[in-house]
Amino acid sequence: MDGFSIYALFGLDEAPREVLGVGKSGRGSVAVPASVQQVVLFTRGRWGSCTCVTAELRDAEKNPLLSAKLTPLNKSLCWEYWEDGVWSSGATVTVKVGQGGMSKDGVSDAELTVSRKEVTPQGSVGPRVAREAHGKRKRKQEVQEDDGPGQENLCPNGAASENTPHRRGSKTLRGSLFPQGDENSGPGASARTPQTQKPKGRQGKTPTQTAPLDSPSGRWGHTLCPIDPQTAILIGGQGSRMHFCKDPMWKLCTEDLSWVPAETLAEGPTPEARIGHTATYDPESRRIFVFGGSKNKKWFNDMHILDTQSWRWSMVEAQGKVPPLAYHSCSLFRGELFVFGGVFPCPNPEPDGCSDSIYIFSPEMAIWYQPIVTGERPAPRSGHSACVIQGKIFIFGGWDTPVCFNDMNMLDLGLMEFSTVKTYGTPPSPRSWHGCALLSDSRFLVHGGYNGNNALNDTFIFNTDTSSWTTVVHSRLSSVPRAGHSIITMSTSSLEGPVAEQDQDSECTPQTLLIFGGGDNEGSFFSDLITMPLEELRD
């Protein structure tokens, strides 16, 4: 620790301030000027072999706002805050030097436990979480960040076996998921990320980009919703610098794979920018239902409807109650929307971090209600996937800090009964924020995701008739690890030509797989569009 010190920088016009001096150990703090918008912490000098630094930002009332860790591999951090443009007066930064159990390469023991013990369980059902009375699992209250998706939007820590290894301190994980750096610079380009700008003003259209774009900027946490064989609608997302995208809505024309900015095409009150929402298309009414999501400290339980015939937005003044949720699933069945799971805001009014409840929205009645459900409910979770097949919702994966899942659960929509699905074959490892797409009336695909430590690039197909998993190896799908992306299938003959003409049976009605966006856990956000005939998956 000789010669080791920690500094804080509050702007380019002033010198760094020493938080903890050379040769000192223990704790140090420094006041944050009320006029700054950014705090940078960095270290100087030689790190000890077993040293870590915990940094915490508190407001004037000593309430924790942000926290993170510095290690020999992560020697600096950047916090941005946009509460009315600056931090409130009286905020302080405190650092504490302690023993972090570092290995020779500077990686903490906890991180090594997660990354090196990531093993696909041999059992047919994924690891379960210990549940308390009434099917609830309590959690410790955590601090919500003021930027980006917030504390509850963080990826979970990985789970690999019955004794799930995990890391404490999700701020370190957040720094790993979205490091800091430069802006996005075009299709396929990536960006490093400090933090997010808080939304200004009331609900309304997000300001458009200064320079016109010919394709969406890189992002994750968005939705891509097909509305006809030639068109899909992209809504929301977050990308470079953890900023919510200023180009939040696009129309994808699959005939020539061209993008058209769509925010100004629709009239009415545009939904506020967000991530972790759902967008569900009803082919009978030809409307898109956008529900929930979050933005900074703001969490949503509003329901917005886009009529794709009149191209007009409306917001429903629904009866009944539904909590604010993000990273839930929303499934359409017989004209109603079935919302399952999701993460609550933090500080959290509910006893659990995530939900295990079903909420149903009836567009005809404009009402939310909760059905009577029997059977064994899945553990509370968010970031999972859900597919409706033959009157059943198949729910896979997800997370509830610090546990990641790879179990398969089913809700029979006729009986309203939950059950755990015993699967065969090698299942995907535990993950959340993965992509999922319906391939046929008995199969769906799972791709990528986040295991609490790394983004993934593997692909699996689940057959509901045989309850079996099949591993898919394809260079186009495994080229880049990604999470928080969108996957859809569309029966677009113009995209794949002869392949589409060959596939006439019902098993192959959606002929083309499309993947857009996501992040790689290394600070990169993608704006590429991958297309692939489903025939190649069968091969």
Side-chain angles (χ1 to χ4, degrees):
M1 290 296 294
D2 294 339
F4 181 80
S5 54
I6 306 168
Y7 293 88
L9 183 64
F10 301 115
L12 299 178
D13 299 330
E14 61 176 84
R17 301 187 188 184
E18 186 179 77
V19 184
L20 197 61
V22 175
K24 297 181 180 180
S25 61
R27 183 187 300 265
S29 61
V30 63
V32 179
S35 60
V36 303
Q37 296 174 329
Q38 187 179 73
V39 172
V40 176
L41 289 181
F42 63 93
T43 63
R44 182 179 180 183
R46 185 172 61 87
W47 284 74
S49 59
C50 296
T51 301
C52 68
V53 176
T54 301
E56 188 174 53
L57 176 71
R58 292 179 176 266
D59 61 17
E61 287 74 31
K62 305 304 180 183
N63 297 315
L65 298 175
L66 301 170
S67 65
K69 282 188 178 181
L70 301 176
T71 70
L73 293 182
N74 185 24
K75 299 180 180 179
S76 64
L77 63 87
C78 177
W79 285 326
E80 285 186 348
Y81 188 57
W82 297 87
E83 184 71 41
D84 297 329
V86 296
W87 268 289
S88 60
S89 178
T92 59
V93 173
T94 301
V95 297
K96 182 180 180 181
V97 177
Q99 300 298 314
M102 293 294 170
S103 63
K104 292 181 180 180
D105 57 0
V107 182
S108 69
D109 292 340
E111 291 173 324
L112 291 174
T113 300
V114 173
S115 60
R116 294 178 182 175
K117 291 188 178 180
E118 176 64 33
V119 179
T120 301
Q122 297 300 318
S124 60
V125 179
R128 303 291 294 182
V129 183
R131 305 290 294 279
E132 293 191 7
H134 309 295
K136 294 288 187 179
R137 181 169 62 85
K138 306 299 180 183
R139 65 150 186 175
K140 296 180 180 179
Q141 271 203 340
E142 297 178 356
V143 181
Q144 180 177 357
E145 294 212 21
D146 295 337
D147 64 288
Q151 172 69 11
E152 290 297 344
N153 291 358
L154 300 183
C155 273
N157 296 301
S161 62
E162 290 185 358
N163 298 323
T164 306
H166 61 272
R167 287 179 292 181
R168 298 294 182 187
S170 54
K171 299 302 177 185
T172 304
L173 179 61
R174 176 189 172 85
S176 170
L177 181 60
F178 297 113
Q180 303 159 2
D182 300 326
E183 292 275 4
N184 239 8
S185 57
S190 64
R192 302 284 177 178
T193 56
Q195 315 223 354
T196 311
Q197 181 173 350
K198 182 178 179 179
K200 296 183 178 180
R202 299 181 179 178
Q203 172 184 330
K205 295 185 178 180
T206 305
T208 57
Q209 296 278 9
T210 302
L213 300 176
D214 57 4
S215 64
S217 58
R219 68 191 65 199
W220 73 286
H222 54 277
T223 56
L224 186 61
C225 182
I227 62 174
D228 60 49
Q230 289 79 37
T231 311
I233 302 299
L234 173 67
I235 299 174
Q238 187 181 55
S240 164
R241 295 181 174 273
M242 297 301 288
H243 289 172
F244 287 86
C245 298
K246 295 183 179 180
D247 54 329
M249 188 172 171
W250 289 79
K251 178 192 290 187
L252 172 64
C253 302
T254 58
E255 290 183 341
D256 57 359
L257 295 181
S258 63
W259 291 97
V260 177
E263 184 189 7
T264 58
L265 296 181
E267 299 179 350
T270 305
E272 194 170 326
R274 62 190 69 195
I275 56 175
H277 56 286
T278 52
T280 309
Y281 180 68
D282 180 5
E284 290 190 7
S285 64
R286 298 183 65 178
R287 295 184 296 176
I288 298 177
F289 296 84
V290 178
F291 170 72
S294 66
K295 182 178 184 181
N296 301 317
K297 283 186 173 182
K298 189 170 185 178
W299 294 63
F300 303 97
N301 63 348
D302 50 359
M303 177 67 76
H304 294 262
I305 299 178
L306 175 62
D307 189 317
T308 61
Q309 294 179 286
S310 63
W311 281 101
R312 183 172 183 85
W313 283 104
S314 60
M315 190 172 81
V316 180
E317 297 292 339
Q319 301 296 316
K321 292 184 178 181
V322 62
L325 293 169
Y327 304 105
H328 50 281
S329 62
C330 185
S331 307
L332 177 70
F333 181 71
R334 293 180 178 175
E336 293 187 318
L337 302 176
F338 290 71
V339 171
F340 172 75
V343 63
F344 297 115
C346 183
N348 167 31
E350 301 289 338
D352 281 327
C354 291
S355 170
D356 63 353
S357 299
I358 286 281
Y359 295 89
I360 299 179
F361 177 72
S362 169
E364 182 179 358
M365 304 296 293
I367 189 172
W368 285 99
Y369 68 94
Q370 282 191 271
I372 298 175
V373 181
T374 61
E376 182 182 0
R377 288 175 182 258
R381 66 191 64 204
S382 64
H384 54 283
S385 58
C387 276
V388 178
I389 295 181
Q390 298 177 7
K392 302 177 179 66
I393 301 179
F394 289 84
I395 300 168
F396 170 74
W399 68 276
D400 186 9
T401 304
V403 180
C404 218
F405 301 96
N406 71 339
D407 53 347
M408 181 71 72
N409 296 273
M410 182 186 71
L411 174 62
D412 188 312
L413 296 173
L415 302 175
M416 291 308 295
E417 180 180 15
F418 272 115
S419 61
T420 301
V421 179
K422 182 179 180 180
T423 65
Y424 303 90
T426 303
S429 59
R431 66 192 62 205
S432 63
W433 293 358
H434 48 278
C436 182
L438 187 64
L439 303 181
S440 70
D441 58 2
S442 62
R443 299 182 305 151
F444 63 86
L445 175 143
V446 170
H447 173 265
Y450 188 72
N451 65 10
N453 197 45
N454 300 300
L456 306 171
N457 63 347
D458 48 2
T459 305
F460 301 83
I461 292 178
F462 186 74
N463 189 315
T464 59
D465 290 340
T466 60
S467 297
S468 60
W469 285 104
T470 302
T471 303
V472 176
V473 179
H474 195 287
S475 59
R476 209 182 307 183
L477 296 176
S478 61
S479 58
V480 178
R482 66 181 75 206
H485 51 299
S486 292
I487 303 182
I488 60 174
T489 54
M490 300 184 70
S491 54
T492 49
S493 58
S494 58
L495 275 180
E496 306 300 341
V499 173
E501 296 174 3
Q502 297 169 8
D503 300 333
Q504 298 296 329
D505 55 279
S506 60
E507 183 77 4
C508 307
T509 300
Q511 289 96 15
T512 306
L513 189 75
L514 297 95
I515 303 175
F516 174 78
D520 68 350
N521 189 39
E522 299 295 335
S524 298
F525 297 90
F526 305 113
S527 60
D528 56 337
L529 180 66
I530 299 174
T531 64
M532 188 174 65
L534 296 191
E535 181 71 18
E536 295 186 16
L537 291 179
R538 288 195 293 274
D539 294 340

